[in-house]
Amino acid sequence: WNRIPGPKTQQLADPVHRSVRIALGDIGAHLMDFPVWSLNLGLPTVIETVSTPFNGVCYPSATTTYFQFPARKGMPPVKLTWYDGGLLPPDPEELENETLDPNGGVLYVGKKAKLLHYSEGARLLPTSKHNSYGAPKERLPRVPHGEHEMNWVNAIKGTDQISVPFDYAAKLTEIMLLGIVSLRANSKLHYDAANMRVTNNVAANDFLTREYR
């Protein structure tokens, strides 16, 4: 047990708290990556997480987190909503007789259409718009054979370009963890990204770091 918390301050092992459910702080990196990267999102200015009962220790059964991102150069503000624990957004009318996959995915809601991204790929909604658009051209480099582990190894050796650099990965992680901070603080957060400070709830700043042992 002494090795599990790592640098975190020591806690006594409690058999009641053996069950761990990981959602936003884990799978969020896989799903939120797409909108954060493709829409060139910076860090959010407003974050609010609501959940099923939370005891402050074990992750709740389900959460919904609302992120507000400011405008970027030539791009409007973006609202991003995270659902987990079986919670889902309403099925868009453009799905026609289908329903959203409860196993996860990303739904982009635009002015002209919607884009659904899930494990089998991506498609425009409705189907008629997808069929009329056709397959997009591949413009981005691919990791050979999908071997991301070897991409990491080869980048360390200096023989390959890393597909996800640390500066981007750190930003993506910060976005996800701000959702967890809102949960733990039980508060909507107004975030000053430049100074890495919550401005509307001073106590919430205690969750942005920890006392290391």
Side-chain angles (χ1 to χ4, degrees):
W1 170 254
N2 186 52
R3 298 178 182 179
I4 295 175
K8 189 177 183 298
T9 52
Q10 181 72 337
Q11 288 180 270
L12 294 176
D14 186 343
V16 175
H17 298 141
R18 287 182 295 182
S19 176
V20 177
R21 184 181 167 279
I22 302 174
L24 175 59
D26 173 43
I27 198 66
H30 301 274
L31 293 176
M32 291 176 62
D33 173 36
F34 299 102
V36 170
W37 172 82
S38 63
L39 299 176
N40 193 29
L41 300 180
L43 290 165
T45 53
V46 181
I47 310 97
E48 183 177 18
T49 297
V50 294
S51 74
T52 53
F54 176 47
N55 63 8
V57 179
C58 294
Y59 202 79
S61 297
T63 68
T64 302
T65 302
Y66 304 93
F67 297 92
Q68 295 182 34
F69 293 87
R72 287 87 62 228
K73 293 182 180 178
M75 304 177 76
V78 170
K79 292 181 179 180
L80 186 153
T81 305
W82 168 269
Y83 301 88
D84 66 38
L87 301 178
L88 293 170
D91 292 325
E93 294 181 4
E94 294 86 347
L95 266 180
E96 298 165 333
N97 295 323
E98 298 181 62
T99 58
L100 292 171
D101 185 353
N103 293 315
V106 181
L107 177 65
Y108 298 82
V109 180
K111 293 181 178 179
K112 297 181 179 180
K114 294 181 175 68
L115 175 65
L116 181 62
H117 178 267
Y118 50 107
S119 58
E120 285 76 20
R123 62 183 171 119
L124 289 169
L125 300 176
T127 302
S128 58
K129 185 173 287 289
H130 177 84
N131 293 338
S132 65
Y133 187 85
K137 295 180 180 179
E138 289 191 3
R139 297 181 299 167
L140 304 172
R142 265 53 176 178
V143 174
H145 313 296
E147 296 176 347
H148 297 281
E149 296 86 353
M150 291 309 302
N151 173 249
W152 168 255
V153 171
N154 292 332
I156 293 173
K157 293 180 177 180
T159 60
D160 200 356
Q161 182 72 33
I162 191 68
S163 62
V164 182
F166 279 113
D167 57 351
Y168 172 79
K171 178 180 71 173
L172 180 61
T173 302
E174 185 173 350
I175 293 170
M176 295 188 305
L177 292 182
L178 284 169
I180 305 302
V181 171
S182 175
L183 171 70
R184 297 184 68 190
N186 191 29
S187 169
K188 176 187 285 190
L189 307 180
H190 293 267
Y191 189 58
D192 177 0
N195 295 299
M196 200 177 290
R197 297 287 295 174
V198 175
T199 60
N200 67 313
N201 184 337
V202 176
N205 289 294
D206 293 340
F207 295 117
L208 299 182
T209 184
R210 59 163 53 111
E211 182 181 343
Y212 294 96
R213 59 175 174 153

